[in-house]
Amino acid sequence: MQHSLEFRSFLLFLAFVSLLFFLLLMPFSGAIFWAIALAIIFAPLQKYFVNHVKWKNLATLCTLGCCALIVVLPFLFIISSVIGECVKIYTALNSGSTNLTQYLDEIQKAYPFIQDMLKQLNIEPGLITQKISEYALKISGYIAAQTVHIGQGTISFIVQICIMLYIAFFMMRDSKSLIAKLHKALPLGHKREQLLFAKFSEVTRATIKGSLVIAIVQGFIGGLVFYFLNVSSALLWGVVMTFFSLIPMVGASIVWLPVCVYFFAVGETMNACILLFFGAVVIGLMDNILRPVLVGRDTKLPDYVILLSTLGGFSLFGMNGFVVGPLVATLFIASWEIFTLEFNDDDYEEQETESK
């Protein structure tokens, strides 16, 4: 009786201390998650350096250096450039040098059926133009405010990057021992833990190598085409296309298609055809070409589950949600598959025993 009471008290204490520890780590949850993700993605490179470099710490530093050159430095450069583009757009909209009403009027003149359709719906075209201009000013004001916040939080952002790289070093170097300790600590059963760990690695690798890399390639191509077609703020629109490419069923077309429509409206047919070709053919087929190469094994998630989990991940976890959402969905499905198989197996064995 006393032993049972002591054990339950210890479990309660363990849960309490674990909860406090997780609360302590919450401010760094993003850095920790991406450190784990980088360790999973760069595991083959880490294995290569370990096999060719005598000291394990030096091998891990080589992997971390490649990670910084491939991921961190380009990301910092893009973020700083996007902030500059946002400031330019805000200045142009606020000063009136960029007039959205003019663009909307040109589209309405080129496509008269839009005005007819609006009249049938009892909607004044001028009212829509006014509302769009107002929302554009509000969005530009929001962007300016966020730019100030980003500037104020630069030190915090750099600290998070440094923490991520610091944690990633130990995740890469000590991955085998950490996984072994998790196997001992978790009371889920060795086979179940192996399956869940494999699913975790598979989905993280597939989502980042598949969804993120493909989205970056699509955004890069879209931004490059915008640049050569003299579309202003091409870098910013490329980043926006990258973001929308992460969302299933939406994609980069939500950005390049309106621009293509505008080119046709103002008579720039050649630019419109070029953008339509690259948007529909090159960017559109990129997913089918790159995903089998980058992902390899399929995560076997239905399209509607990917869509809902990605959108839910964005709403709950922000930008980290495009990985966390599908990851949670996959672990949920895998856990129920394990439960269903084991429950059915036990039920089947009981029926066999009763029949004998």
Side-chain angles (χ1 to χ4, degrees), residues 209-247:
K209 287 176 61 178
S211 300
L212 183 58
V213 173
I214 291 170
I216 289 173
V217 172
Q218 290 176 330
F220 175 77
I221 294 174
L224 200 62
V225 173
F226 273 25
Y227 174 77
F228 283 111
L229 297 179
N230 295 321
V231 178
S232 60
S233 303
L235 176 63
L236 175 61
W237 293 120
V239 173
V240 173
M241 278 188 270
T242 299
F243 173 76
F244 280 112
S245 296
L246 293 171
I247 303 176

Side-chain angles (χ1 to χ4, degrees), residues 128 250 284:
I128 293 180
V250 177

Side-chain angles (χ1 to χ4, degrees), residues 52-68:
H52 291 80
V53 178
K54 186 176 180 180
W55 297 281
K56 196 172 184 179
N57 285 342
L58 181 58
T60 307
L61 285 175
C62 291
T63 306
L64 205 61
C66 294
C67 173

Side-chain angles (χ1 to χ4, degrees), residues 69 122 124 143 158 192 208 218 233 240 245 259 332 339:
L69 289 174
N122 294 323
E124 288 293 333
I143 291 172
I158 293 174
R192 300 187 193 98
I208 295 177
Q218 290 176 330
S233 303
V240 173
S245 296
V259 178
F332 170 79
F339 174 79

Side-chain angles (χ1 to χ4, degrees), residues 11 67 141 350-351:
L11 288 180
C67 173
E350 289 179 3
Q351 290 179 1

Side-chain angles (χ1 to χ4, degrees), residues 2 31-32 49 67 69-70 82 99 101 116 144 154 176 192 225 232 235 239 245 254 276 281 284 293 300 320-321 334:
Q2 183 180 357
I32 295 171
F49 280 122
C67 173
L69 289 174
I70 296 171
V82 167
N99 189 0
T101 305
D116 297 336
T154 300
K176 291 184 179 179
R192 300 187 193 98
V225 173
S232 60
L235 176 63
V239 173
S245 296
I254 198 171
L276 184 62
V281 179
V293 177
K300 298 179 181 178
N320 297 333

Side-chain angles (χ1 to χ4, degrees), residues 140-150:
S140 64
Y142 175 79
I143 291 172
Q146 292 302 310
T147 302
V148 173
H149 289 312
I150 291 171

